[in-house]
Amino acid sequence: MKNKDRVQQENRKALPKFLLILVCSVAAGLVIAGIMIATWETGADYTFVDILHEVLGLVSPWLMWAVLVVCVPIALHYYFRGKRRWQDWDGEADDVLDRAEHELSIGLVINSVCMVLTMLFYGLATMLLYSWAGHVAAQVGLVVSLVFIVVYQQKTVDLCKRMNPEKRGSVYDVNFQKKWIESCDEAERTNIYRSSYRAYRNMSITLPVLWCAAVMAGLWFDGVGPLAVVLVSIAWLVQTLSYGLESLRLEAPKKQAK
């Protein structure tokens, strides 16, 4: 009985927030739909998408280089800072080693952000290219970015392996992540699993929002098409099945040995 009361109490506590989100979503949908209907009825000819494509086509190749200019110095700063801490370590104070590993992790996060932004702007530059200068800038920028990203990750992982001899795996190995996790201790694995779950939760919110945005963009702007909805839906389905099937596999009753 107590458990039933607790469940009902949790539901009552969460329900107002859920209803508020639902009402706001419906209201936003009605507003957007009203704007769309008004646009269709007036027959207004909007060129927003055309202007956006032209702007992105012009600036994307150079934004790739801007990402490099910003990310490379910051990532290198954290790499050398962590390396210096480890080199100055007396072998006894564990907190010094923890800080060094933390700074190397910050550098890896920045390196990953650099990769995502580079691929974003390269993709835009490839699809919306408006000049040969931009084409050359995009191609050279991609090569320089990928070389830095891969080498930086390799140097950081190698340094982590020197700091922790039990660590295994090469960044050039297709099974690197599996080998690396297997060489981590229980606390490190727990951090990885908790971080992965946080990423799953965030994407569970982000993907539906992107799906709605893609649908609205397809209805509102000419030239967007259904591909954006398809791609977001595929990513959403992959996430849902990956989590669901793995959860079922882990929860499945173990076969009794005969």
Side-chain angles (χ1 to χ4, degrees), residues 20-21 23 43 52 58 74 120 157 169 193 201 212 234 258:
L20 178 62
I21 295 174
V23 170
L52 182 63
L58 289 171
I74 299 175
L120 168 64
V157 169
Y193 299 151
R201 287 189 58 189
C212 292
I234 290 174
K258 294 182 180 180

Side-chain angles (χ1 to χ4, degrees), residues 56 58-69 117-118 121 124:
L56 290 175
L58 289 171
V59 304
S60 291
W62 313 109
L63 287 177
M64 293 176 62
W65 288 96
V67 170
L68 279 174
V69 170
L117 293 178
T118 295
F121 293 129
L124 292 174

